[in-house]
């Protein structure tokens, strides 16, 4: 596949096998997005945020293929992505956008699975979110609004997430004028579900969490975590900002499914302990692999 050749020359460490795997995942993700759009959302006049939402509205108003809008509207952002992020991202995005555009064109004559707007919003949002998540996880993108948000955030006192939210709210509100406000509300449901599915697809169901615990019984709490959760802990030395007292801090990485059990352990051994939990996007190395508990 010609898609992988430029990367093979520029990055010797990236093997042909990895490039083929990336291409397959990008293809599957873009294909799923096409299914979510043409089999569920578009026939029910339900839109998503970003370029996809603008393309659905544009296609409805002009009777031109949605795939044409998806391709043309994303082209300027491919150039920006190349400048801001790099060649690998731009090539991956171009490949995924082409697959998505062609897929919507091929699936357009296919009869939708449901004409119930609520079912379409739910299942369309799920499929769309999984597809977009696969593309992002493989190093590409199907929507240029994130790149626009990055550029705007550098010039405005707003974060990237806030700019994306504003743009998408404007696009989703536009659906109310084009398709009616009931369809705009269904579009909000689809957008929310897709957003959550993107998060789950990228992070996985076993999303990791970092936990910081400050306890007077730190040794007892740490040993209980190791014995009952099978997780390794790290003891850090800290100093209270107000009291100046030396404190022992417990640091441990767990999965989200273990969070409730860890909290119960801490509550049981030291109800007054300070506990902070945060999300982690990636965990590598060390001894994160869980030990068997006998």
């Amino acid at each position: 596949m010609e898609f992988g050749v430029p990367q093979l020359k520029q990055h010797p460490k990236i093997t042909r096998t990895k490039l083929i795997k990336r291409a397959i995942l990008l293809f599957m993700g873009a294909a799923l997005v096409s299914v979510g759009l043409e089999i569920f959302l578009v026939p029910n006049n339900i839109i998503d945020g970003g370029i996809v939402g603008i393309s659905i509205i544009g296609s409805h108003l002009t009777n031109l293929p949605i795939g044409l809008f998806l391709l043309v509207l994303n082209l300027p952002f491919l150039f920006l992505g190349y400048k801001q992020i790099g060649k690998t991202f731009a090539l991956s995005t171009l490949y995924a956008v082409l697959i998505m555009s062609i897929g919507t064109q091929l699936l357009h004559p296919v009869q939708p699975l449901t004409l119930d707007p609520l079912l379409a919003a739910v299942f369309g949002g799920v499929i769309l979110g999984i597809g977009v998540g696969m593309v992002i996880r493989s190093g590409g993108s199907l929507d240029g609004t994130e790149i626009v948000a990055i550029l705007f955030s550098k010039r405005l006192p707003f974060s990237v997430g806030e700019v994306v939210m504003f743009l998408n709210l404007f696009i989703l509100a536009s659906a109310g004028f084009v398709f009616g406000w009931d369809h705009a509300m269904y579009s909000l449901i689809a957008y929310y579900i897709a957003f959550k599915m993107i998060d789950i697809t990228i992070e996985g169901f076993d999303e990791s969490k970092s936990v910081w615990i400050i306890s007077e019984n730190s040794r007892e709490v740490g040993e209980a975590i190791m014995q009952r959760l099978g997780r390794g802990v790290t003891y850090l030395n800290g100093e209270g900002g107000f009291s100046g007292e030396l404190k022992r801090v417990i640091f441990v990485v767990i999965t989200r499914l273990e969070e409730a059990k860890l909290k119960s352990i801490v509550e049981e051994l030291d109800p007054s302990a300070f506990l902070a939990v945060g999300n982690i996007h990636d965990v590598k190395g060390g001894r994160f692999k869980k030990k068997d508990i006998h």
Side-chain angles (χ1 to χ4, degrees):
M1 182 178 292
E2 294 298 325
F3 165 77
V5 173
Q7 300 306 314
L8 194 59
K9 292 180 180 179
Q10 294 293 329
H11 303 281
K13 293 183 179 179
I14 301 179
T15 65
R16 187 175 297 275
T17 301
K18 289 183 178 180
L19 290 174
I20 293 174
K21 180 180 178 181
R22 176 185 291 177
I24 292 173
L25 290 175
L26 287 169
F27 178 89
M28 292 174 61
L32 281 176
V33 172
S34 302
V35 172
L37 289 174
E38 287 293 350
I39 304 300
F40 291 97
L41 299 185
V42 174
N44 289 279
N45 293 329
I46 298 173
I47 74 169
D48 187 38
I51 298 299
V52 171
I54 297 174
S55 298
I56 295 175
I57 294 175
S59 176
H60 176 79
L61 294 176
T62 63
N63 290 322
L64 293 174
I66 184 176
L68 179 63
F69 282 94
L70 290 170
L71 179 60
V72 172
L73 293 178
N74 271 299
L75 285 178
F77 304 114
L78 285 172
F79 177 76
L80 291 175
Y82 176 79
K83 292 292 186 181
Q84 295 289 324
I85 303 174
K87 184 194 296 185
T88 300
F89 171 80
L91 287 175
S92 299
T93 299
L94 175 61
Y95 174 70
V97 169
L98 285 172
I99 296 300
M100 176 178 63
S101 301
I102 295 171
T104 54
Q105 186 66 26
L106 294 176
L107 291 172
H108 186 70
V110 179
Q111 291 295 320
L113 290 183
T114 179
L115 292 177
D116 184 314
L118 180 58
L119 289 176
V122 172
F123 286 94
V126 169
I127 294 173
L128 190 76
I130 293 174
V132 173
M134 290 177 65
V135 170
I136 294 174
R137 191 165 183 168
S138 302
S141 175
L142 291 173
D143 198 319
T145 53
E146 287 84 357
I147 302 172
V148 174
I150 291 172
L151 296 177
F152 272 104
S153 66
K154 293 178 179 179
R155 296 171 174 80
L156 298 174
F158 301 105
S159 67
V160 174
E162 289 170 337
V163 176
V164 170
M165 182 181 68
F166 174 79
L167 291 173
N168 284 331
L169 285 177
F170 176 78
I171 293 168
L172 290 168
S174 301
F177 296 99
V178 177
F179 301 117
W181 294 106
D182 53 344
H183 288 277
M185 288 185 279
Y186 286 125
S187 297
L188 281 172
I189 294 173
Y191 173 75
Y192 178 78
I193 293 174
F195 176 81
K196 299 304 293 184
M197 290 307 301
I198 291 171
D199 181 57
I200 291 174
T201 304
I202 295 174
E203 306 295 343
F205 285 98
D206 292 330
E207 178 185 355
S208 299
K209 291 180 175 288
S210 61
V211 183
W212 303 80
I213 306 166
I214 302 176
S215 169
E216 298 296 333
N217 305 323
S218 58
R219 181 64 65 176
E220 186 179 358
V221 172
E223 290 178 354
I225 292 173
M226 289 189 286
Q227 293 173 4
R228 293 160 64 177
L229 277 184
R231 293 294 182 189
V233 302
T234 300
Y235 296 105
L236 306 172
N237 293 322
E239 181 180 339
F242 290 104
S243 65
E245 296 180 359
L246 295 178
K247 300 284 186 178
R248 176 167 286 184
V249 182
I250 303 170
F251 175 74
V252 59
V253 177
I254 60 173
T255 67
R256 77 167 99 191
L257 300 178
E258 296 168 329
E259 182 180 351
K261 186 172 182 179
L262 181 137
K263 287 181 177 179
S264 68
I265 291 173
V266 176
E267 177 70 21
E268 175 188 332
L269 298 176
D270 187 359
S272 62
F274 172 83
L275 185 147
V277 181
N279 294 325
I280 299 179
H281 294 294
D282 198 7
V283 179
K284 293 182 180 179
R287 297 183 178 179
F288 178 66
K289 187 175 180 180
K290 189 170 182 177
K291 288 185 176 181
D292 294 330
I293 303 175
H294 299 288

